[in-house]
Amino acid sequence: MLNSNKVAVISSGNGGQSLAAYFSYKGCISTLYAREQERVDMFPSNSFELSGEIEGAVPIALISCDMRRVIENAHLIMVTTPSQYHHIVAENMAPYLEDGQIIMLNPGRTFGTHIFEHVLAQQGCHKRVIIAEAETFIFTCRCLSVGKPRIYKIKDHMKVAAHDPADTPQVVQAMQRFFPTVTGADSVLETGLGNMGLLFHPLPVLMNLTRIEKEERFLYYKEAISPLVAYMLERMDKERLAVADALHVATLPVMEWLNDKYGSTGSCLYDCLQNTDAYSDVYAPTALNTRYIFEDVPTGCVPLLCMGNKLGIDMPVTQGVVRWASAVYNKNFYEMGRNDRTLDLDAIIHQAGLN
């Protein structure tokens, strides 16, 4: 029988540690999944120290690499694993899922529930679970050290959607228990095309490669995104909005999104980012092998590009990011990503009511 007070968090990175501690702070039985025993062993204890918007020491009921124990009886399962690993999480989770569980991809990036549902079906999982996704990660956060997450900001008005839109109200109800400002999106098309990670992450890294390669310490949103970089992001955002418009999906332009989530204002994207207090202490990656590339290119830029190509939309900046990242990292991110072979684009278009 599911325990409505148990929340399982999948992944032990910055986001996973922050969420596990937050749910414990909210009075839940909070469990945390780490992918291997070495990751479990890195925690000095099961007591986490929260700082930032929330202060306090909280217990984590279980930290384990045993998926069955972590998700057993959990009403809500929060998947914070980098989205390029969603298919692996789905494979590992499939044998242990129970009827009635809500799986929340936080975030799903672009078309995440489509990938997750497909893998569960491939694994022969027929449990009646709800697969849902958020448009963005609920926190701006970092871990100062292991077991010491710092939450800079709990985002306002985060949208969530279930893969089956009929299940979205149930998902919203479950999430609002902990995050009162969460609202429902019309569909996972809205959350997927509202993925701001594909904007804010790959291109600024690619335009600051030499600084990152030298392990220079600099502020990401305040310094890495210069006026020129911000202008390029505005152009890329127009491509994202063109895809959304063609699919009749409502999504906010990037500047309106910043205002909605953080209250940021400005006459251009650069000014808005400079005025986003939650980003004031967020530093750039110090290694070239960053999730800002390895997550956001294959699970954000690639599916956006594929859908744009399918709809006949010119996508020069998005295409340039995918090709540039592939050249720099000597990887074929298009082949690695959520492309027209791993996604049923016709089914996604049908979901938008266009055929």
Side-chain angles (χ1 to χ4, degrees):
M1 180 178 293
L2 299 185
N3 183 342
S4 62
N5 204 42
K6 179 176 177 179
V7 179
V9 179
I10 310 301
S11 183
S12 56
N14 290 323
Q17 292 183 50
S18 299
L19 267 180
Y22 179 83
F23 283 118
S24 180
Y25 178 84
K26 288 292 186 178
C28 294
I29 300 168
S30 180
T31 59
L32 182 63
Y33 175 80
R35 66 179 179 268
E36 53 198 13
Q37 188 61 45
E38 290 78 4
R39 297 283 296 178
V40 176
D41 293 341
M42 76 180 185
F43 291 95
S45 76
N46 280 39
S47 179
F48 281 22
E49 186 178 327
L50 267 170
S51 62
E53 285 211 356
I54 297 171
E55 305 276 344
V58 295
I60 305 301
L62 173 70
I63 304 172
S64 175
C65 56
D66 185 334
M67 181 69 81
R68 180 190 62 79
R69 292 181 64 206
V70 171
I71 70 171
E72 186 176 34
N73 302 329
H75 177 248
L76 181 61
I77 302 172
M78 300 291 291
V79 179
T80 68
T81 309
S83 52
Q84 71 267 33
Y85 302 124
H86 280 167
H87 65 289
I88 297 174
V89 172
E91 289 174 2
N92 293 340
M93 194 180 286
Y96 311 115
L97 289 170
E98 303 170 60
D99 288 340
Q101 289 181 312
I102 297 173
I103 304 167
M104 170 60 70
L105 307 181
N106 191 227
R109 294 308 180 196
T110 303
F111 309 140
T113 64
H114 288 270
I115 295 294
F116 213 91
E117 183 192 52
H118 179 67
V119 173
L120 289 185
Q122 281 185 323
Q123 296 298 308
C125 177
H126 303 295
K127 296 295 184 180
R128 296 188 301 276
V129 297
I130 294 174
I131 306 170
E133 68 178 30
E135 63 176 330
T136 183
F137 189 66
I138 186 64
F139 300 145
T140 299
C141 62
R142 290 291 186 271
C143 285
L144 306 179
S145 59
V146 174
K148 294 185 177 181
R150 183 173 183 84
I151 299 173
Y152 297 106
K153 172 69 175 176
I154 302 174
K155 294 172 185 170
D156 296 327
H157 313 132
M158 185 181 77
K159 289 189 175 183
V160 299
H163 191 75
D164 181 347
D167 293 326
T168 296
Q170 185 176 341
V171 173
V172 171
Q173 183 179 30
M175 292 294 290
Q176 283 184 341
R177 176 182 168 192
F178 309 105
F179 306 105
T181 66
V182 162
T183 58
D186 288 340
S187 71
V188 293
L189 285 175
E190 184 177 350
T191 53
L193 293 173
N195 171 15
M196 294 299 167
L198 67 86
L199 285 178
F200 286 145
H201 294 164
L203 194 149
V205 166
L206 292 169
M207 296 187 77
N208 286 270
L209 283 171
T210 57
R211 299 178 75 182
I212 295 171
E213 186 179 31
K214 291 191 299 182
E215 300 183 4
E216 183 179 332
R217 182 172 168 82
F218 60 102
L219 292 169
Y220 186 73
Y221 292 95
K222 303 290 187 176
E223 297 176 353
I225 303 180
S226 67
L228 173 60
V229 176
Y231 167 70
M232 294 297 295
L233 293 178
E234 288 176 336
R235 290 177 56 191
M236 190 174 176
D237 192 48
K238 288 180 180 178
E239 297 174 9
R240 179 185 67 89
L241 292 172
V243 172
D245 184 62
L247 293 171
H248 304 315
V249 174
T251 187
L252 291 176
V254 62
M255 288 173 59
E256 292 182 29
W257 185 89
L258 285 167
N259 180 262
D260 183 64
K261 298 294 182 289
Y262 298 115
S264 309
T265 59
S267 60
C268 62
L269 180 56
Y270 176 77
D271 289 341
C272 279
L273 289 170
Q274 293 299 309
N275 294 329
T276 302
D277 291 340
Y279 291 160
S280 295
D281 297 320
V282 178
Y283 283 86
T286 56
L288 292 177
N289 291 334
T290 169
R291 68 177 180 85
Y292 284 9
I293 296 292
F294 284 86
E295 176 178 19
D296 291 289
V297 174
T299 70
C301 299
V302 168
L304 182 69
L305 177 62
C306 286
M307 184 57 77
N309 289 341
K310 178 79 172 179
L311 296 169
I313 297 170
D314 192 26
M315 308 279 285
V317 180
T318 306
Q319 184 176 52
V321 169
V322 174
R323 289 181 172 178
W324 188 5
S326 297
V328 168
Y329 287 87
N330 196 27
K331 304 279 186 183
N332 190 330
F333 282 111
Y334 189 93
E335 292 297 326
M336 294 167 56
R338 295 174 179 173
N339 58 36
D340 48 4
R341 287 179 290 282
T342 60
L343 290 168
D344 187 342
L345 296 179
D346 289 327
I348 295 172
I349 291 172
H350 178 74
Q351 182 183 3
L354 298 184
N355 61 10

